[in-house]
Amino acid sequence: MRKYHRWLSVIFGVFLLWISITGVISQIPMWGEMFGGEGDADRPVAAAPAVPAGFTCPESMVCRPKPSGSRSWVGVVHHLHSGETFGPLGTVIATLSGLALVFFSFSGLWLYIQMWRNRKDRALKPGWFWK
């Protein structure tokens, strides 16, 4: 298990770092709303831009003005975070990275439990943490 944990961490480490950084960046606009600042929800919606004569919104779609301010950045960061910016391959890598994160969680816990049991079996000082 330790071998797989080590090899997958080398392969997916960079992707997981990318996903974690873009995930944190995508939450920055929400921090202002949480800590009493003016959020985008409080701002008035800009008037819709002029549409060409004769244009009607298709029934299967909802037509709205493009988001502005921090909301537009959230959309860009979301596409980077999910891998959509890099096409189908980016989405596959993002999905595999998420699955790798689940694997690292379980295998890391499993390795810790094995080390803890091994330490207990060797009659060393018991405890949750050691040097």
Side-chain angles (χ1 to χ4, degrees):
M1 178 75 71
R2 185 175 290 185
K3 179 175 76 171
Y4 298 118
H5 188 93
R6 192 175 299 141
W7 276 105
L8 283 176
S9 67
V10 170
I11 295 169
F12 283 104
V14 174
F15 299 115
L16 290 173
L17 184 62
W18 175 267
I19 290 172
S20 64
I21 289 170
T22 56
V24 168
I25 291 172
S26 71
Q27 295 303 313
I28 289 174
M30 304 309 158
W31 293 348
E33 292 176 17
M34 288 189 321
F35 296 112
E38 182 180 315
D40 285 342
D42 301 336
R43 294 184 187 151
V45 177
V51 293
F55 175 80
T56 57
C57 186
E59 290 181 21
S60 62
M61 298 178 69
V62 176
C63 297
R64 336 181 185 148
K66 283 185 142 187
S68 61
S70 62
R71 295 251 183 223
S72 64
W73 281 105
V74 169
V76 170
V77 173
H78 171 75
H79 286 289
L80 291 170
H81 179 72
S82 66
E84 294 173 33
T85 303
F86 306 108
L89 181 62
T91 306
V92 168
I93 290 174
T95 303
L96 290 175
S97 298
L99 293 172
L101 187 58
V102 172
F103 171 76
F104 291 144
S105 299
F106 286 114
S107 64
L109 183 61
W110 179 256
L111 291 171
Y112 179 82
I113 290 171
Q114 283 182 331
M115 289 189 305
W116 186 74
R117 285 181 180 166
N118 186 21
R119 186 171 177 83
K120 186 178 174 185
D121 292 343
R122 290 187 296 160
L124 296 174
K125 180 182 174 188
W128 290 101
F129 306 103
W130 58 87
K131 293 181 183 181

